[in-house]
Amino acid sequence: MAGSDAEAFTYNGGIVEPGETQNIRYGISETYLGDPVRIPVTIVNGAEPGPTVFLSAAAHGDELNGIEVVREVAHEWNHDDLCGTLVCMPVLNVPGFLAQERYLPIYDRDLNRSFPGRAGSTSAKRMAHQIFRNFIAPCDLGLDFHTSTRGRTNMLHVRGDTSDPEVSRLAKAFGSNVIISSSGPSGTLRREASDYGVPTITIEMGEAHRFQRQFIDRGLEGVKSVLAEYGVHRTNAVRWPGWRTIIDEDMEKTWLRADTGGLVEMHYDRGSLVYEGDTICTITNPFKTDSDSVEAPFTGLLVGVLENPVVYPGNPLCHMVELEADTRRALKRDRAQSDDPNGDAAPPPEHTLPPESR
Ligand SMILES: [Zn+2]
């Protein structure tokens, strides 16, 4: 039965008691026909007290991998021993999701630049306000799942402002190899929630328009590890990813961009280690008479690469971060052991360590 200290989760017009799970369709706007625009929300309130954690996906409507992570946590995991509350929102940007587009179709607004939102403002900010006020503000921490933009792909990595100790704890707890530290653009869910006092990270993984099982599985491992770190699921352990780099302001990171228009032959996959001077890709004209080689400006990791092989000058080709020598050695050792050249697979079970040895 419910522990004496467990609290009900309340939102505008609703209450979820300790030990109760509710599936809600919550209205955040209205269509041209006056019908409600409703986001699916599952609230799992544990019988025992603990932190309130939100999991969200598809703030960009065509970024699908996280949807399945959030749904499996909400509906396939056993939460009998849950200490705290999970607020699961698999599809934030419902109009974009229906159109299979990144942005809200209304004036092409980016929902993920509209938080925390505002009543009486634009349609995007009103939607963001409904989401933020009811389901983000009451939480203690949050995980927001994204993928690369259409036409590109990312290795799994975490983004968050690690200069904030609470965000740093959360980012590390997810157990990714790569953490890119920045405060993030204003209006993003992770920045605005973190500024509000709800430490939040973004998880980037894979491509838009796909369910990619290896990423979904790694995302689920990350959620398990976070819930272990905060004592929400006490039977799980926090994961150590085998090697880790935190890309802060002192480390090199860059988007390599095309200087010529053309067709791109990419020579490396996402997650590849490349050395300074390596040719990452070649851009050719239609007659293959002219080619432009793009070289790595420093030694590092290809966090994201182009998938759709066409570019105008200025289009991004790949996203690269610096890797220091000792991290490179750890990466090579780890990938040789797991027979996983690009690090897409989940780390082996021996990487699970008790918290005191991390
Ligand atoms: Zn996104």
Side-chain angles (χ1 to χ4, degrees):
M1 281 320 299
S4 54
D5 296 318
E7 288 178 14
F9 182 92
T10 57
Y11 60 97
N12 180 31
I15 180 163
V16 185
E17 298 288 353
E20 190 188 357
T21 295
Q22 278 185 25
N23 293 322
I24 304 156
R25 292 178 188 271
Y26 189 82
I28 59 165
S29 189
E30 292 176 6
T31 70
Y32 298 140
L33 296 171
D35 297 320
V37 172
R38 300 184 300 177
I39 61 164
V41 184
T42 297
I43 295 170
V44 186
N45 195 346
E48 298 299 325
T52 300
V53 183
F54 81 80
L55 295 91
S56 57
H60 293 136
D62 59 356
E63 300 181 359
L64 309 184
N65 280 328
I67 294 176
E68 191 53 19
V69 173
V70 177
R71 290 195 328 148
E72 290 190 21
V73 170
H75 304 293
E76 293 181 12
W77 283 12
N78 182 330
H79 295 298
D80 288 348
D81 299 327
L82 189 73
C83 301
T85 303
L86 302 178
V87 178
C88 303
M89 296 173 281
V91 183
L92 289 180
N93 178 354
V94 165
F97 175 71
L98 293 176
Q100 281 299 287
E101 287 176 9
R102 176 178 177 85
Y103 299 122
L104 288 162
I106 315 112
Y107 306 120
D108 255 0
R109 292 281 180 150
D110 190 344
L111 181 63
N112 203 34
R113 295 291 185 280
S114 304
F115 290 102
R118 195 150 56 92
S121 183
T122 63
S123 58
K125 286 191 172 165
R126 290 180 192 216
M127 289 185 214
H129 176 67
Q130 287 291 335
I131 295 168
F132 200 91
R133 182 178 62 143
N134 287 294
F135 302 112
I136 306 295
C139 292
D140 297 302
L141 57 133
L143 307 172
D144 187 32
F145 287 88
H146 286 251
T147 73
S148 198
T149 304
R150 181 175 61 196
R152 304 202 288 263
T153 184
N154 278 334
M155 68 180 290
L156 185 144
H157 66 279
V158 160
R159 294 185 188 180
D161 183 2
T162 60
S163 68
D164 175 336
E166 287 301 314
V167 176
S168 178
R169 177 184 174 196
L170 176 59
K172 287 175 180 167
F174 197 84
S176 65
N177 295 120
V178 176
I179 298 170
I180 299 181
S181 178
S182 74
S183 56
S186 90
T188 55
L189 181 53
R190 72 155 164 109
R191 174 168 171 167
E192 300 301 336
S194 297
D195 285 354
Y196 185 81
V198 184
T200 297
I201 56 171
T202 297
I203 301 97
E204 294 276 351
M205 49 185 217
E207 299 167 50
H209 298 285
R210 304 257 187 284
F211 271 174
Q212 293 169 287
R213 194 67 235 179
Q214 81 274 25
F215 285 116
I216 293 165
D217 286 342
R218 275 197 84 168
L220 289 165
E221 290 299 323
V223 175
K224 265 186 208 163
S225 183
V226 165
L227 297 186
E229 168 73 18
Y230 291 88
V232 182
H233 268 181
R234 295 191 178 157
T235 47
N236 294 332
V238 179
R239 288 179 83 88
W240 164 247
W243 60 275
R244 176 161 66 209
T245 185
I246 299 176
I247 308 299
D248 58 19
E249 270 139 36
D250 299 331
M251 304 272 286
E252 296 226 55
K253 57 174 187 281
T254 189
W255 278 95
L256 295 183
R257 291 178 182 275
D259 288 329
T260 54
L263 298 152
V264 182
E265 190 188 348
M266 189 62 69
H267 304 305
Y268 292 93
D269 289 330
R270 63 170 176 251
S272 295
L273 176 61
V274 294
Y275 292 87
E276 184 175 350
D278 282 354
T279 300
I280 294 175
C281 63
T282 312
I283 307 173
T284 54
N285 71 4
F287 314 109
K288 290 206 170 209
T289 51
D290 213 4
S291 83
D292 191 17
S293 295
V294 178
E295 292 179 355
F298 51 82
T299 296
L301 198 62
L302 293 180
V303 172
V305 297
L306 194 75
E307 287 265 292
N308 184 8
V310 291
V311 285
Y312 279 109
N315 283 166
L317 295 162
C318 65
H319 186 198
M320 203 181 151
V321 299
E322 182 187 352
L323 271 197
E324 285 165 339
D326 53 346
T327 316
R328 293 202 296 271
R329 279 192 290 276
L331 170 150
K332 284 196 241 176
R333 202 164 49 233
D334 196 59
R335 290 185 180 176
Q337 275 171 7
S338 58
D339 194 23
D340 178 23
N342 299 313
D344 281 348
E350 61 265 30
H351 286 325
T352 299
L353 294 178
E356 59 273 17
S357 46
R358 275 179 287 127

